[in-house]
């Protein structure tokens, strides 16, 4: 089987849009599930629903692959699995190194989906001397001093960074200098890389914050809404406010008209205003 350092996927040379490339793994996952159930063909509508896209977009994406299906029959599942796998470069071996074997790195090392999708974990690397030789997911951890040698020996072109943010850029620089041209970054920081190096960032905290934003919207609880409601309830419980008339000496009190109170209450805002907070990028 060919190694990742000598072969590159053909998507860029064929002019497939990046948005289409990003959806190909979704189609492949849905097709693989169909294949495991021995389903021979699938319609564009069924496959689109399984992948979470609309059927028109799916047909457009597949047109870049030269696959148009058969009217009244649909797409051949096995052929599409092969076609998309080939386009993504998954018909060859891609050695991967994981740098940073903390909780997250160890979990990634034990993930069984790598091998079934064409990725071979070639090495686990950590800077802690106490980790050297320790077995994680059946592999001994190697020290970061040997990073460059490992990359050369195993012809690695994909690196996974699962280190703390403070050292992620340094690790990235060493990976790139050693010949790694694709990086999957789990560190909570933005990496700077030269042209020709691809970086994909996975930030779990940002994804959770985005979900929290949508949960807040679905619940109808914009920032400041609870405080505004509390202020309104407190105002209703207070005694009727009084104002002095023009003849202040008389001490006559004028009640605030109900219409004015209603207008005042309707314009009261919480301390953060009535717009939702902007989530960090």
């Amino acid at each position: 089987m060919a190694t990742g350092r000598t072969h590159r996927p053909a998507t860029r040379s064929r002019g497939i849009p990046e948005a289409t490339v990003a959806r190909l793994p979704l189609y492949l996952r849905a097709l693989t599930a169909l294949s495991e159930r021995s389903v021979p063909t699938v319609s564009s509508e069924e496959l689109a629903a399984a992948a979470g896209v609309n059927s028109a977009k799916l047909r457009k994406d597949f047109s870049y692959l030269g696959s148009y299906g058969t009217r009244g029959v649909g797409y051949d599942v096995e052929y599409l699995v092969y076609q998309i796998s080939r386009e993504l470069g998954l018909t060859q071996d891609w050695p991967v190194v994981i740098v940073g074997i903390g909780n997250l790195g160890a979990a990634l090392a034990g993930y069984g989906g790598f091998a079934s999708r064409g990725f071979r974990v070639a090495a686990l690397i950590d800077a802690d001397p106490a980790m050297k030789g320790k077995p994680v997911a059946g592999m001994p951890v190697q020290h970061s001093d040997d990073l460059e040698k490992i990359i050369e020996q195993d012809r690695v072109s994909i690196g996974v960074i699962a280190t703390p943010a403070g050292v992620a850029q340094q690790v990235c620089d060493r990976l790139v200098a050693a010949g790694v041209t694709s990086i999957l970054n789990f560190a909570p920081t933005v990496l700077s890389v030269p042209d020709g190096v691809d970086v994909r960032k996975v930030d779990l905290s940002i994804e959770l914050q985005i979900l929290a934003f949508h949960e807040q919207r679905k619940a109808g609880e914009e920032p400041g809404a609870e405080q505004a409601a509390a202020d309104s309830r407190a105002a209703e419980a207070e005694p009727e406010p009084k104002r002095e008339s023009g003849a202040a000496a008389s001490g006559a009190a004028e009640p605030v008209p109900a219409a004015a109170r209603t207008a005042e209450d309707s314009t009261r805002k919480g301390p953060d205003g009535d717009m939702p907070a902007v989530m960090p990028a």
Side-chain angles (χ1 to χ4, degrees), residues 71-149:
R71 184 177 294 276
V73 177
Y75 295 95
D76 184 289
V77 171
E78 291 298 332
Y79 177 67
L80 267 185
V81 168
Y82 165 75
Q83 196 175 20
I84 294 177
S85 296
R86 182 188 62 183
E87 205 65 51
L88 289 173
L90 303 182
T91 56
Q92 59 204 49
D93 178 43
W94 295 98
V96 175
V97 295
I98 301 176
V99 184
I101 312 301
N103 292 333
L104 177 57
L108 293 171
Y111 174 55
F114 285 135
S116 64
R117 288 166 174 81
F119 302 96
R120 174 175 60 85
V121 178
L124 307 177
I125 301 172
D126 198 276
D128 184 357
M131 290 290 293
K132 185 176 181 180
K134 181 180 179 180
V136 173
M139 295 184 65
V141 176
Q142 302 184 61
H143 194 266
S144 57
D145 287 347
D146 300 323
L147 177 61
E148 289 78 7
K149 181 177 67 176

Side-chain angles (χ1 to χ4, degrees), residues 133-176:
K134 181 180 179 180
V136 173
M139 295 184 65
V141 176
Q142 302 184 61
H143 194 266
S144 57
D145 287 347
D146 300 323
L147 177 61
E148 289 78 7
K149 181 177 67 176
I150 292 168
I151 290 172
E152 181 180 1
Q153 288 179 346
D154 290 287
R155 302 176 65 81
V156 174
S157 59
I158 299 177
V160 177
I161 297 178
T163 66
V167 297
Q169 184 63 58
Q170 178 185 352
V171 170
C172 174
D173 293 342
R174 289 183 63 187
L175 289 171
V176 172

Side-chain angles (χ1 to χ4, degrees), residues 12-262:
R12 290 183 178 177
S13 61
R14 292 180 54 169
I16 298 179
E18 287 295 327
T20 295
V21 174
R23 287 189 289 269
L24 291 182
L26 304 180
Y27 302 141
L28 182 59
R29 181 173 59 190
L31 287 162
T32 300
L34 293 171
S35 176
E36 291 172 350
R37 288 158 38 202
S38 300
V39 177
T41 59
V42 62
S43 70
S44 59
E45 288 78 11
E46 292 170 334
L47 183 53
V53 303
N54 65 64
S55 57
K57 183 174 293 183
L58 177 142
R59 288 190 291 270
K60 179 67 173 178
D61 289 342
F62 283 2
S63 71
Y64 291 109
L65 307 181
S67 182
Y68 297 93
T70 303
R71 184 177 294 276
V73 177
Y75 295 95
D76 184 289
V77 171
E78 291 298 332
Y79 177 67
L80 267 185
V81 168
Y82 165 75
Q83 196 175 20
I84 294 177
S85 296
R86 182 188 62 183
E87 205 65 51
L88 289 173
L90 303 182
T91 56
Q92 59 204 49
D93 178 43
W94 295 98
V96 175
V97 295
I98 301 176
V99 184
I101 312 301
N103 292 333
L104 177 57
L108 293 171
Y111 174 55
F114 285 135
S116 64
R117 288 166 174 81
F119 302 96
R120 174 175 60 85
V121 178
L124 307 177
I125 301 172
D126 198 276
D128 184 357
M131 290 290 293
K132 185 176 181 180
K134 181 180 179 180
V136 173
M139 295 184 65
V141 176
Q142 302 184 61
H143 194 266
S144 57
D145 287 347
D146 300 323
L147 177 61
E148 289 78 7
K149 181 177 67 176
I150 292 168
I151 290 172
E152 181 180 1
Q153 288 179 346
D154 290 287
R155 302 176 65 81
V156 174
S157 59
I158 299 177
V160 177
I161 297 178
T163 66
V167 297
Q169 184 63 58
Q170 178 185 352
V171 170
C172 174
D173 293 342
R174 289 183 63 187
L175 289 171
V176 172
V180 170
T181 52
S182 293
I183 294 173
L184 181 61
N185 178 32
F186 284 89
T189 186
V190 176
L191 299 177
S192 176
V193 297
D195 291 340
V197 176
D198 296 308
V199 176
R200 299 289 295 181
K201 179 172 173 55
V202 181
D203 193 319
L204 301 180
S205 64
I206 286 180
E207 299 304 322
L208 286 172
Q209 288 170 355
I210 293 172
L211 288 175
F213 170 81
H214 290 297
E215 282 300 308
Q216 177 177 261
R217 281 299 185 91
K218 284 185 286 187
E221 296 178 356
E222 296 184 354
E226 292 185 359
Q227 184 62 47
D231 290 346
S232 178
R233 289 192 297 270
E236 292 174 358
E238 290 176 356
E240 189 77 22
K242 299 181 180 181
R243 297 180 181 176
E244 291 186 349
S245 66
S250 67
E254 292 182 356
V256 178
R261 292 198 307 275
T262 301

